Amino acid sequence: MFKRTLATLLLFVLFLSGCAMTSEKLIIQIEKKTQKTEGFYAELEVVVFSLEGEQSYQVKQWQDSSLRWRVEVAAAQESQHFICDGEQIWVYQPGLDDYYRIDADRGSLELAPPFMLTGYLAQLQQADSYTFNEEEDPSGHQIYNVTYAGRIPGETICLSLDQKTLFPRLVQTYLNEEPLNRITVKKLELNPTFEPNLFEFTAAAETEVTTQCLRKPLTLTEARENWPIPIFLPTYVPTGSSLFVISRSVEQEREQLILIYQGPKSFTLVQHPNAEVTIYRSATSSDVQIGQHTGLYQQNSDYSLATLWWSNEQSNFILTGSLPLQEMVKIARSLVPDGV
């Protein structure tokens, strides 16, 4: 009887040790869970820390298995909606006619869904290394704490994962140990029933024309017509990239010229007559010297897209692309007036 009891205890201990979560098992389990999940709905409370102080947002997000998604971000009396129907990404403010549209394939590089929980899980699975520990929260539930390096130097992302769903319950991002944002998951539903039109956006055609999301391509000669100052062109572009299309549009009651370069390293250069423009500085913004002028460099939320703002005596410039900072500065420093 004693031997039988001892054998039973040994089997029980082996069973428990085999079921214990490890860092290696965690990644495998996350992959299995996300593959089986048909979609989710989450409500988040987000705090962003910046030089201007704390900014609070209420966020709702939906995603289905076909990677269609919808994110609604609300702050104070304003809100902004992001919708991906699989082919297009739409960005708009409820109550306003203006909206922005981008192809989903291009948008995967330029516009990440804000604070998307599955995005953090994907980053974790792609991380070169991470730390892992298990603890009990105040309510007695086990949680898995994972920390990994972000995509920019000095960035650290800390996830507290629910033991059952393996979705984040808390996301905290730091830059050089200074907090950037904190995301608290208030509600999570896996495999919910989605409303039929949840991932669709319908807008009047005339609204899009008014906001000039449909832009008429121009030749360089046409672009020069009635443009009040010289057009600046880069004398350096990455190997294989070339000017694809030129267009003009109105943004915040100012006309701007848009030059889109395509190739292995695509980028967009926007310019308009010099004016006093206030650029929002976040905790991850940095100053960059461009000749005799100082520019401002900023990356988007998942660091797949970077933007560089600067001015000279004649024009304001916005350079956007999935390019390294050194490459963007090289393009910016090479700008000369057309015809020089």
Side-chain angles (χ1 to χ4, degrees):
M1 178 66 71
F2 174 76
K3 290 182 179 179
R4 186 180 300 173
T5 303
L6 181 60
T8 303
L9 287 174
L10 286 173
L11 287 173
F12 183 65
V13 170
L14 288 172
F15 172 78
L16 288 179
S17 62
C19 292
M21 183 62 73
T22 65
S23 58
E24 292 78 12
K25 289 181 180 179
L26 179 63
I27 298 301
I28 296 173
Q29 290 300 317
I30 289 175
E31 185 176 359
K32 288 181 178 179
K33 288 273 189 181
T34 52
Q35 287 178 349
K36 291 180 179 179
T37 301
E38 293 297 320
F40 76 93
Y41 165 69
E43 295 180 6
L44 319 176
E45 184 178 88
V46 179
V47 178
V48 176
F49 304 96
S50 69
L51 298 177
E52 285 73 24
E54 296 184 10
Q55 298 168 306
S56 298
Y57 303 92
Q58 301 299 318
V59 179
K60 296 180 180 179
Q61 55 186 226
W62 299 257
Q63 186 179 48
D64 71 3
S65 57
S66 65
L67 300 183
R68 295 183 302 171
W69 49 265
R70 179 187 184 103
V71 179
E72 298 178 0
V73 181
Q77 303 301 315
E78 296 184 356
S79 64
Q80 194 167 33
H81 291 186
F82 304 76
I83 298 176
C84 177
D85 62 8
E87 297 181 357
Q88 304 283 331
I89 298 174
W90 309 86
V91 182
Y92 71 98
Q93 281 186 250
L96 298 180
D97 290 334
D98 293 346
Y99 64 87
Y100 178 70
R101 184 185 67 171
I102 187 173
D103 290 338
D105 290 340
R106 176 184 163 200
S108 63
L109 295 175
E110 298 188 11
L111 183 63
F115 313 113
M116 184 63 76
L117 297 181
T118 49
Y120 292 104
L121 292 176
Q123 287 186 41
L124 170 58
Q125 294 176 76
Q126 297 165 6
D128 294 331
S129 62
Y130 51 89
T131 62
F132 165 82
N133 69 72
E134 185 176 352
E135 70 175 10
E136 191 174 278
D137 69 9
S139 63
H141 295 95
Q142 295 298 115
I143 57 174
Y144 302 133
N145 294 319
V146 186
T147 300
Y148 60 93
R151 297 179 180 177
I152 62 174
E155 183 187 50
T156 303
I157 299 174
C158 304
L159 306 181
S160 294
L161 304 178
D162 181 80
Q163 184 187 38
K164 184 178 180 180
T165 66
L166 297 184
F167 265 67
R169 293 172 55 180
L170 178 68
V171 180
Q172 299 179 89
T173 305
Y174 300 86
L175 183 64
N176 298 322
E177 300 184 357
E178 294 293 328
L180 289 183
N181 61 56
R182 181 180 66 246
I183 302 172
T184 305
V185 180
K186 294 297 186 179
K187 182 177 182 179
L188 176 68
E189 294 181 13
L190 297 183
N191 306 318
T193 300
F194 297 115
E195 294 294 329
N197 301 324
L198 181 65
F199 304 108
E200 297 178 6
F201 176 78
T202 303
E206 61 269 18
T207 304
E208 187 174 19
V209 172
T210 301
T211 57
Q212 302 195 42
C213 287
L214 296 176
R215 300 184 177 98
K216 179 183 176 182
L218 304 171
T219 65
L220 190 55
T221 300
E222 291 171 333
R224 293 191 192 101
E225 295 177 2
N226 301 320
W227 190 252
I229 58 176
I231 296 174
F232 286 81
L233 300 174
T235 56
Y236 166 80
V237 296
T239 303
S241 298
S242 60
L243 182 59
F244 174 67
V245 68
I246 304 173
S247 62
R248 286 167 70 165
S249 69
V250 176
E251 180 73 21
Q252 296 180 347
E253 300 182 353
R254 291 183 303 162
E255 192 167 25
Q256 60 185 10
L257 196 65
I258 304 166
L259 290 79
I260 299 175
Y261 288 76
Q262 288 196 345
K265 296 182 178 180
S266 302
F267 63 92
T268 300
L269 176 65
V270 178
Q271 54 190 286
H272 52 73
N274 194 9
E276 289 294 330
V277 179
T278 300
I279 303 298
Y280 171 75
R281 284 178 172 269
S282 72
T284 57
S285 302
S286 58
D287 290 336
V288 176
Q289 200 64 30
I290 302 172
Q292 299 178 346
H293 308 280
T294 301
L296 184 66
Y297 174 74
Q298 173 72 55
Q299 290 184 306
N300 69 347
S301 59
D302 74 341
Y303 310 109
S304 61
L305 184 75
T307 303
L308 184 62
W309 295 268
W310 78 101
S311 298
N312 61 17
E313 289 77 12
Q314 294 177 297
S315 296
N316 294 342
F317 301 97
I318 305 173
L319 178 61
T320 305
S322 52
L323 301 172
L325 173 59
Q326 295 83 353
E327 196 88 329
M328 298 186 78
V329 171
K330 193 171 181 180
I331 294 171
R333 289 176 176 171
S334 77
L335 292 188
V336 296
D338 178 37
V340 175

